[in-house]
Amino acid sequence: MKLTADETVRAAEFFTQAITRLATRPVRIMEVCGTHTVAIFRNGIRQLLPPAVELVSGPGCPVCVTPNEYLDKAIAYSRQPNVIITTFGDMLKVPGSQSTLMAERAQGADIRIIYSPLDSLQIASDNPEKSVIFLAVGFETTAPTAAAVILQAERQPITNFFVLSSHKLVPPAVRALLAADDIRVDGFLLPGHTAVISGLAPYLFIAGEYQVPSVVTGFEALDILQGIYMLLKQITAGTAELDNQYRRVVKPEGNEAARNILEQVYQPAAAVWRGLGEIPNSGLALRQQYAGFNAEVKLPLPPLLTREPAGCRCGDVLCGKIEPASCPHFAQGCTPEHPVGACMVSVEGACAAWFRYGQGRWNYA
Ligand code: SF4
Protein backbone atom coordinates (compact mmCIF):
# COMPACT_ATOMS: atom_id res chain seq x y z
CA MET A 1 0.00 0.00 0.00
CA LYS A 2 1.45 3.34 -1.06
CA LEU A 3 1.28 6.06 1.59
CA THR A 4 0.42 9.66 0.76
CA ALA A 5 3.00 12.34 1.51
CA ASP A 6 1.08 13.34 4.67
CA GLU A 7 0.85 9.74 5.85
CA THR A 8 4.58 9.29 5.24
CA VAL A 9 5.42 12.34 7.32
CA ARG A 10 3.13 11.19 10.13
CA ALA A 11 4.67 7.71 10.08
CA ALA A 12 8.18 9.19 10.16
CA GLU A 13 7.19 11.36 13.13
CA PHE A 14 5.71 8.36 14.90
CA PHE A 15 8.88 6.28 14.50
CA THR A 16 11.18 9.19 15.37
CA GLN A 17 9.26 9.95 18.57
CA ALA A 18 9.11 6.27 19.51
CA ILE A 19 12.85 5.88 18.94
CA THR A 20 13.52 8.95 21.06
CA ARG A 21 11.37 7.56 23.89
CA LEU A 22 13.15 4.20 23.75
CA ALA A 23 16.70 5.61 23.52
CA THR A 24 17.34 5.92 27.24
CA ARG A 25 21.00 4.92 26.96
CA PRO A 26 23.65 5.16 24.22
CA VAL A 27 23.23 2.48 21.56
CA ARG A 28 25.37 1.66 18.55
CA ILE A 29 23.55 0.37 15.51
CA MET A 30 25.39 -0.85 12.44
CA GLU A 31 23.79 -0.56 9.04
CA VAL A 32 25.66 -3.43 7.41
CA CYS A 33 24.77 -2.48 3.86
CA GLY A 34 26.14 0.39 1.78
CA THR A 35 22.71 0.95 0.23
CA HIS A 36 21.40 1.62 3.73
CA THR A 37 24.28 4.01 4.42
CA VAL A 38 23.45 6.09 1.37
CA ALA A 39 19.69 6.02 2.07
CA ILE A 40 20.32 7.13 5.66
CA PHE A 41 22.33 10.13 4.49
CA ARG A 42 20.10 11.00 1.55
CA ASN A 43 17.01 11.04 3.77
CA GLY A 44 18.64 12.92 6.65
CA ILE A 45 17.88 10.06 9.06
CA ARG A 46 20.90 10.75 11.25
CA GLN A 47 19.54 14.22 11.94
CA LEU A 48 16.17 12.78 12.99
CA LEU A 49 17.64 10.47 15.62
CA PRO A 50 18.33 11.35 19.25
CA PRO A 51 22.02 11.74 20.18
CA ALA A 52 21.91 8.46 22.11
CA VAL A 53 21.46 6.50 18.88
CA GLU A 54 24.71 6.17 16.96
CA LEU A 55 24.65 4.75 13.44
CA VAL A 56 27.85 3.20 12.11
CA SER A 57 28.51 1.85 8.64
CA GLY A 58 29.49 -1.76 8.05
CA PRO A 59 31.16 -3.97 5.44
CA GLY A 60 28.20 -4.12 3.04
CA CYS A 61 29.65 -2.21 0.10
CA PRO A 62 30.99 -4.88 -2.28
CA VAL A 63 33.42 -2.62 -4.10
CA CYS A 64 34.76 -1.26 -0.79
CA VAL A 65 35.50 -4.66 0.76
CA THR A 66 37.22 -5.98 -2.37
CA PRO A 67 40.93 -5.92 -1.52
CA ASN A 68 43.60 -4.33 -3.67
CA GLU A 69 44.94 -7.72 -4.65
CA TYR A 70 41.81 -8.26 -6.73
CA LEU A 71 42.13 -4.84 -8.40
CA ASP A 72 45.77 -5.58 -9.16
CA LYS A 73 44.82 -8.85 -10.85
CA ALA A 74 42.15 -7.11 -12.92
CA ILE A 75 44.66 -4.44 -13.95
CA ALA A 76 47.26 -7.10 -14.81
CA TYR A 77 44.73 -8.86 -17.04
CA SER A 78 43.78 -5.58 -18.70
CA ARG A 79 47.41 -5.09 -19.73
CA GLN A 80 47.54 -8.41 -21.55
CA PRO A 81 47.05 -8.48 -25.32
CA ASN A 82 43.76 -9.79 -26.67
CA VAL A 83 41.95 -9.36 -23.36
CA ILE A 84 38.71 -7.44 -22.88
CA ILE A 85 37.73 -6.61 -19.29
CA THR A 86 34.02 -6.17 -18.58
CA THR A 87 32.99 -4.47 -15.36
CA PHE A 88 30.36 -2.39 -13.65
CA GLY A 89 31.28 1.28 -13.70
CA ASP A 90 32.06 1.75 -10.01
CA MET A 91 35.16 -0.46 -10.25
CA LEU A 92 36.87 1.88 -12.72
CA LYS A 93 38.16 4.48 -10.28
CA VAL A 94 39.02 2.17 -7.40
CA PRO A 95 42.75 2.55 -6.76
CA GLY A 96 44.81 -0.60 -7.03
CA SER A 97 48.35 -0.74 -5.70
CA GLN A 98 49.75 1.35 -8.55
CA SER A 99 47.01 2.14 -11.03
CA THR A 100 43.30 2.07 -11.70
CA LEU A 101 41.24 0.45 -14.42
CA MET A 102 40.34 3.95 -15.58
CA ALA A 103 44.02 4.87 -16.01
CA GLU A 104 44.65 1.62 -17.85
CA ARG A 105 41.72 2.30 -20.15
CA ALA A 106 43.08 5.77 -20.89
CA GLN A 107 46.31 4.08 -21.94
CA GLY A 108 44.56 1.79 -24.36
CA ALA A 109 43.39 -1.23 -22.37
CA ASP A 110 40.08 -2.62 -23.64
CA ILE A 111 37.89 -2.18 -20.56
CA ARG A 112 34.15 -2.01 -21.13
CA ILE A 113 31.44 -0.93 -18.71
CA ILE A 114 28.48 -3.27 -18.68
CA TYR A 115 25.04 -3.00 -17.11
CA SER A 116 24.40 -6.73 -16.80
CA PRO A 117 26.75 -9.74 -16.71
CA LEU A 118 24.86 -10.92 -19.81
CA ASP A 119 26.48 -8.06 -21.75
CA SER A 120 29.82 -9.84 -21.22
CA LEU A 121 28.55 -12.90 -23.06
CA GLN A 122 27.52 -10.80 -26.03
CA ILE A 123 30.93 -9.12 -26.07
CA ALA A 124 32.60 -12.55 -25.93
CA SER A 125 30.39 -13.79 -28.76
CA ASP A 126 31.25 -10.71 -30.86
CA ASN A 127 35.01 -11.07 -30.21
CA PRO A 128 35.85 -14.78 -30.52
CA GLU A 129 39.57 -14.08 -30.98
CA LYS A 130 39.77 -12.34 -27.58
CA SER A 131 39.45 -13.45 -23.95
CA VAL A 132 36.64 -11.62 -22.19
CA ILE A 133 37.05 -11.42 -18.40
CA PHE A 134 34.06 -10.33 -16.32
CA LEU A 135 34.91 -8.76 -12.95
CA ALA A 136 32.38 -10.54 -10.74
CA VAL A 137 32.09 -8.43 -7.59
CA GLY A 138 29.05 -8.44 -5.35
CA PHE A 139 27.05 -10.20 -2.65
CA GLU A 140 24.23 -12.74 -2.63
CA THR A 141 22.08 -10.27 -4.57
CA THR A 142 24.15 -10.25 -7.75
CA ALA A 143 25.97 -13.59 -7.63
CA PRO A 144 23.00 -15.68 -8.93
CA THR A 145 22.93 -13.59 -12.11
CA ALA A 146 26.63 -14.19 -12.66
CA ALA A 147 26.05 -17.92 -12.08
CA ALA A 148 23.20 -17.91 -14.61
CA VAL A 149 25.46 -16.28 -17.19
CA ILE A 150 28.09 -18.97 -16.67
CA LEU A 151 25.44 -21.63 -17.22
CA GLN A 152 24.35 -19.87 -20.39
CA ALA A 153 27.96 -19.65 -21.61
CA GLU A 154 28.25 -23.41 -21.05
CA ARG A 155 25.05 -24.07 -22.99
CA GLN A 156 25.87 -21.91 -26.02
CA PRO A 157 28.87 -22.77 -25.73
CA ILE A 158 31.11 -19.71 -25.41
CA THR A 159 34.70 -20.64 -24.62
CA ASN A 160 36.35 -17.19 -24.50
CA PHE A 161 34.31 -15.93 -21.53
CA PHE A 162 35.94 -15.98 -18.08
CA VAL A 163 35.12 -14.73 -14.61
CA LEU A 164 37.46 -13.15 -12.08
CA SER A 165 35.34 -13.91 -9.05
CA SER A 166 35.20 -11.86 -5.88
CA HIS A 167 31.65 -12.67 -4.88
CA LYS A 168 31.09 -12.58 -1.15
CA LEU A 169 28.50 -13.62 1.42
CA VAL A 170 27.31 -11.18 4.09
CA PRO A 171 26.55 -13.45 7.09
CA PRO A 172 30.18 -14.63 7.63
CA ALA A 173 31.31 -10.99 7.68
CA VAL A 174 28.73 -10.19 10.37
CA ARG A 175 30.03 -13.17 12.32
CA ALA A 176 33.58 -11.83 12.01
CA LEU A 177 32.44 -8.46 13.37
CA LEU A 178 30.71 -10.12 16.30
CA ALA A 179 33.77 -12.22 17.09
CA ALA A 180 36.10 -9.18 17.12
CA ASP A 181 37.02 -7.91 20.58
CA ASP A 182 37.35 -4.28 19.56
CA ILE A 183 34.03 -3.78 17.76
CA ARG A 184 30.88 -3.05 19.77
CA VAL A 185 27.51 -3.18 18.06
CA ASP A 186 24.20 -3.24 19.97
CA GLY A 187 22.08 -4.12 16.95
CA PHE A 188 22.30 -4.74 13.21
CA LEU A 189 20.20 -3.36 10.38
CA LEU A 190 20.60 -6.24 7.93
CA PRO A 191 20.43 -5.83 4.15
CA GLY A 192 17.02 -6.64 2.72
CA HIS A 193 18.29 -7.37 -0.79
CA THR A 194 20.71 -10.13 0.21
CA ALA A 195 18.08 -11.68 2.48
CA VAL A 196 15.69 -11.80 -0.49
CA ILE A 197 18.01 -14.50 -1.85
CA SER A 198 19.36 -16.13 1.31
CA GLY A 199 16.22 -16.01 3.44
CA LEU A 200 16.46 -15.46 7.18
CA ALA A 201 18.16 -18.66 8.33
CA PRO A 202 21.78 -17.55 7.68
CA TYR A 203 21.27 -14.63 10.09
CA LEU A 204 19.76 -16.55 13.01
CA PHE A 205 23.18 -16.98 14.66
CA ILE A 206 23.37 -13.24 15.47
CA ALA A 207 20.70 -13.58 18.16
CA GLY A 208 21.16 -17.30 18.80
CA GLU A 209 24.91 -17.33 19.40
CA TYR A 210 25.73 -13.70 20.21
CA GLN A 211 22.46 -12.45 21.77
CA VAL A 212 22.52 -9.34 19.59
CA PRO A 213 19.28 -8.00 18.04
CA SER A 214 19.03 -7.71 14.27
CA VAL A 215 16.37 -6.60 11.81
CA VAL A 216 16.27 -7.32 8.07
CA THR A 217 15.33 -3.91 6.73
CA GLY A 218 14.20 -2.31 3.46
CA PHE A 219 15.62 0.77 1.82
CA GLU A 220 12.95 3.46 1.98
CA ALA A 221 13.33 6.11 4.68
CA LEU A 222 10.35 4.71 6.58
CA ASP A 223 11.76 1.18 6.33
CA ILE A 224 14.98 2.32 7.95
CA LEU A 225 13.24 4.31 10.70
CA GLN A 226 11.01 1.33 11.43
CA GLY A 227 14.03 -1.00 11.43
CA ILE A 228 15.78 1.22 13.97
CA TYR A 229 12.59 1.36 16.05
CA MET A 230 12.33 -2.46 15.99
CA LEU A 231 15.96 -2.72 17.11
CA LEU A 232 15.43 -0.19 19.90
CA LYS A 233 12.43 -2.14 21.16
CA GLN A 234 14.57 -5.25 21.47
CA ILE A 235 17.53 -3.44 22.98
CA THR A 236 15.46 -1.70 25.67
CA ALA A 237 13.57 -4.93 26.45
CA GLY A 238 16.87 -6.80 26.77
CA THR A 239 15.85 -9.35 24.15
CA ALA A 240 17.66 -10.53 21.05
CA GLU A 241 15.84 -11.80 17.99
CA LEU A 242 16.07 -11.75 14.23
CA ASP A 243 13.19 -9.58 13.06
CA ASN A 244 12.01 -8.93 9.52
CA GLN A 245 10.89 -5.38 8.78
CA TYR A 246 10.96 -6.03 5.00
CA ARG A 247 8.26 -8.70 4.95
CA ARG A 248 6.70 -7.29 1.79
CA VAL A 249 9.81 -8.44 -0.10
CA VAL A 250 11.85 -10.86 2.05
CA LYS A 251 10.36 -14.28 2.63
CA PRO A 252 11.79 -16.38 5.47
CA GLU A 253 12.82 -19.09 3.00
CA GLY A 254 14.39 -16.62 0.53
CA ASN A 255 14.57 -17.37 -3.17
CA GLU A 256 15.24 -21.07 -3.57
CA ALA A 257 15.54 -20.96 -7.37
CA ALA A 258 18.26 -18.31 -7.22
CA ARG A 259 20.08 -20.22 -4.48
CA ASN A 260 19.96 -23.41 -6.55
CA ILE A 261 21.62 -21.69 -9.50
CA LEU A 262 24.20 -20.20 -7.16
CA GLU A 263 24.96 -23.53 -5.52
CA GLN A 264 25.19 -25.28 -8.86
CA VAL A 265 28.00 -22.99 -10.02
CA TYR A 266 29.69 -21.75 -6.86
CA GLN A 267 30.82 -23.18 -3.54
CA PRO A 268 31.71 -21.34 -0.33
CA ALA A 269 35.40 -20.55 0.06
CA ALA A 270 37.62 -18.39 2.24
CA ALA A 271 37.76 -14.79 1.02
CA VAL A 272 39.75 -11.72 1.96
CA TRP A 273 37.75 -8.65 2.99
CA ARG A 274 39.29 -5.22 3.24
CA GLY A 275 39.36 -4.43 6.96
CA LEU A 276 38.32 -7.88 8.13
CA GLY A 277 41.03 -10.00 6.54
CA GLU A 278 40.40 -13.58 5.48
CA ILE A 279 37.04 -14.96 6.60
CA PRO A 280 36.24 -18.67 6.21
CA ASN A 281 33.36 -19.52 3.85
CA SER A 282 32.68 -15.86 3.11
CA GLY A 283 33.45 -16.04 -0.62
CA LEU A 284 32.09 -17.90 -3.60
CA ALA A 285 34.52 -19.94 -5.69
CA LEU A 286 33.61 -21.56 -9.00
CA ARG A 287 33.08 -25.28 -8.64
CA GLN A 288 35.57 -27.58 -10.34
CA GLN A 289 33.03 -28.36 -13.02
CA TYR A 290 33.10 -24.69 -14.08
CA ALA A 291 36.87 -24.19 -13.77
CA GLY A 292 36.93 -23.60 -17.52
CA PHE A 293 35.32 -20.21 -16.83
CA ASN A 294 37.72 -19.30 -14.04
CA ALA A 295 40.12 -16.62 -15.30
CA GLU A 296 42.68 -17.46 -12.63
CA VAL A 297 42.74 -21.11 -13.72
CA LYS A 298 42.65 -20.63 -17.49
CA LEU A 299 44.78 -17.47 -17.69
CA PRO A 300 47.09 -17.69 -14.67
CA LEU A 301 48.98 -14.56 -13.63
CA PRO A 302 52.47 -14.35 -12.14
CA PRO A 303 52.58 -13.37 -8.42
CA LEU A 304 51.78 -9.68 -7.99
CA LEU A 305 53.16 -7.22 -5.48
CA THR A 306 50.16 -5.66 -3.85
CA ARG A 307 49.69 -3.04 -1.16
CA GLU A 308 46.83 -1.04 0.35
CA PRO A 309 46.80 2.77 -0.10
CA ALA A 310 49.09 4.46 2.42
CA GLY A 311 47.20 6.03 5.31
CA CYS A 312 43.76 4.95 4.05
CA ARG A 313 41.54 3.90 6.99
CA CYS A 314 38.93 2.26 4.76
CA GLY A 315 39.34 -1.04 6.64
CA ASP A 316 38.51 0.64 9.95
CA VAL A 317 35.56 2.48 8.38
CA LEU A 318 34.17 -0.82 7.06
CA CYS A 319 34.31 -2.37 10.54
CA GLY A 320 32.61 0.58 12.19
CA LYS A 321 35.76 1.39 14.16
CA ILE A 322 36.00 4.98 12.92
CA GLU A 323 33.83 7.44 11.06
CA PRO A 324 35.14 8.53 7.65
CA ALA A 325 35.81 12.07 8.87
CA SER A 326 38.33 10.63 11.35
CA CYS A 327 40.58 9.60 8.47
CA PRO A 328 43.27 12.26 7.93
CA HIS A 329 42.78 12.05 4.14
CA PHE A 330 39.03 12.65 4.29
CA ALA A 331 38.06 15.68 2.15
CA GLN A 332 41.73 16.63 2.07
CA GLY A 333 43.69 14.33 -0.21
CA CYS A 334 40.72 11.99 -0.68
CA THR A 335 37.56 13.10 -2.51
CA PRO A 336 35.23 11.36 -4.99
CA GLU A 337 37.12 13.10 -7.80
CA HIS A 338 40.50 11.98 -6.46
CA PRO A 339 39.85 8.96 -4.23
CA VAL A 340 42.63 7.45 -2.16
CA GLY A 341 40.61 4.41 -1.10
CA ALA A 342 37.70 2.33 -2.35
CA CYS A 343 35.26 3.71 0.26
CA MET A 344 35.45 7.10 -1.47
CA VAL A 345 34.77 5.64 -4.91
CA SER A 346 31.69 3.51 -4.75
CA VAL A 347 28.29 5.16 -4.62
CA GLU A 348 27.66 2.82 -1.67
CA GLY A 349 30.92 3.73 0.07
CA ALA A 350 30.66 5.26 3.54
CA CYS A 351 33.36 7.86 2.82
CA ALA A 352 31.62 8.93 -0.38
CA ALA A 353 28.28 9.20 1.46
CA TRP A 354 29.86 11.26 4.23
CA PHE A 355 31.48 13.51 1.67
CA ARG A 356 28.36 14.05 -0.39
CA TYR A 357 25.84 14.41 2.42
CA GLY A 358 28.00 15.17 5.45
CA GLN A 359 25.81 17.81 7.06
CA GLY A 360 26.57 20.18 4.20
CA ARG A 361 30.17 20.68 5.22
CA TRP A 362 31.61 18.88 2.22
CA ASN A 363 28.73 19.34 -0.15
CA TYR A 364 29.87 17.75 -3.38
CA ALA A 365 26.73 16.83 -5.28
S1 SF4 B 1 38.58 9.09 3.36
FE1 SF4 B 1 39.67 8.10 1.65
S2 SF4 B 1 41.65 7.55 2.49
FE2 SF4 B 1 40.28 7.92 4.22
S3 SF4 B 1 39.35 5.95 4.74
FE3 SF4 B 1 37.98 6.93 3.29
S4 SF4 B 1 38.63 6.16 1.30
FE4 SF4 B 1 40.32 5.75 2.70
Side-chain angles (χ1 to χ4, degrees):
M1 186 183 70
K2 188 115 178 92
L3 298 182
T4 65
D6 280 351
E7 288 168 338
T8 302
V9 169
R10 278 202 297 278
E13 283 173 352
F14 168 81
F15 288 128
T16 306
Q17 288 166 8
I19 290 167
T20 303
R21 271 198 308 277
L22 290 169
T24 53
R25 66 172 176 85
V27 293
R28 245 179 147 237
I29 291 173
M30 175 176 281
E31 82 270 2
V32 174
C33 173
T35 314
H36 277 150
T37 300
V38 173
I40 285 165
F41 274 98
R42 192 189 300 122
N43 291 293
I45 286 176
R46 281 171 172 255
Q47 286 83 347
L48 293 176
L49 298 177
V53 178
E54 180 188 6
L55 294 181
V56 291
S57 302
C61 158
V63 170
C64 307
V65 296
T66 301
N68 269 20
E69 184 188 4
Y70 180 88
L71 261 301
D72 293 340
K73 286 178 186 171
I75 288 166
Y77 279 126
S78 78
R79 290 174 175 171
Q80 292 188 352
N82 297 318
V83 165
I84 300 173
I85 300 289
T86 61
T87 178
F88 297 120
D90 51 1
M91 290 292 285
L92 275 196
K93 284 172 77 175
V94 181
S97 296
Q98 288 165 347
S99 182
T100 63
L101 290 168
M102 182 174 270
E104 297 300 319
R105 190 162 77 155
Q107 289 176 27
D110 194 345
I111 299 170
R112 305 190 191 182
I113 296 174
I114 54 166
Y115 299 96
S116 157
L118 264 180
D119 299 341
S120 303
L121 272 196
Q122 188 60 50
I123 292 169
S125 177
D126 294 343
N127 297 273
E129 73 290 358
K130 304 218 170 161
S131 298
V132 175
I133 301 177
F134 168 53
L135 305 187
V137 172
F139 295 129
E140 292 91 327
T141 330
T142 51
T145 313
V149 169
I150 289 168
L151 292 176
Q152 186 164 333
E154 184 186 42
R155 275 194 303 272
Q156 280 192 246
I158 293 181
T159 56
N160 62 327
F161 168 72
F162 306 98
V163 171
L164 182 60
S165 181
S166 185
H167 282 305
K168 290 182 167 60
L169 302 170
V170 171
V174 176
R175 182 182 285 281
L177 290 168
L178 285 163
D181 292 334
D182 55 347
I183 301 169
R184 182 181 71 80
V185 176
D186 297 308
F188 289 96
L189 284 181
L190 297 173
H193 46 20
T194 59
V196 167
I197 305 296
S198 70
L200 300 182
Y203 294 104
L204 287 169
F205 74 93
I206 301 172
E209 295 179 37
Y210 292 93
Q211 291 76 53
V212 174
S214 59
V215 177
V216 172
T217 303
F219 299 96
E220 303 290 333
L222 279 186
D223 291 328
I224 294 169
L225 283 172
Q226 187 177 17
I228 295 169
Y229 165 67
M230 292 165 81
L231 279 176
L232 260 289
K233 277 209 305 187
Q234 290 192 51
I235 292 167
T236 50
T239 59
E241 292 168 13
L242 169 60
D243 227 334
N244 183 6
Q245 180 278 331
Y246 207 25
R247 283 166 202 245
R248 67 185 188 276
V249 176
V250 174
K251 305 291 171 243
E253 67 277 14
N255 183 330
E256 193 181 354
R259 278 204 311 278
N260 286 343
I261 291 174
L262 198 58
E263 286 164 21
Q264 184 179 346
V265 176
Y266 288 104
Q267 61 190 7
V272 177
W273 296 58
R274 195 191 303 275
L276 288 165
E278 184 171 303
I279 305 175
N281 295 321
S282 68
L284 291 170
L286 284 166
R287 291 187 183 276
Q288 182 60 31
Q289 183 186 346
Y290 299 98
F293 295 103
N294 187 340
E296 293 186 84
V297 170
K298 299 303 285 183
L299 308 165
L301 290 167
L304 301 172
L305 273 180
T306 192
R307 61 175 172 79
E308 296 297 321
C312 173
R313 303 283 306 276
C314 213
D316 290 335
V317 170
L318 290 164
C319 297
K321 290 181 183 172
I322 65 164
E323 292 180 332
S326 301
C327 170
H329 292 312
F330 182 80
Q332 304 296 324
C334 184
T335 66
E337 284 302 312
H338 301 286
V340 173
C343 300
M344 190 58 94
V345 179
S346 171
V347 288
E348 295 190 346
C351 297
W354 271 72
F355 189 89
R356 288 196 165 90
Y357 302 106
Q359 289 130 37
R361 288 173 58 200
W362 306 282
N363 195 5
Y364 171 80

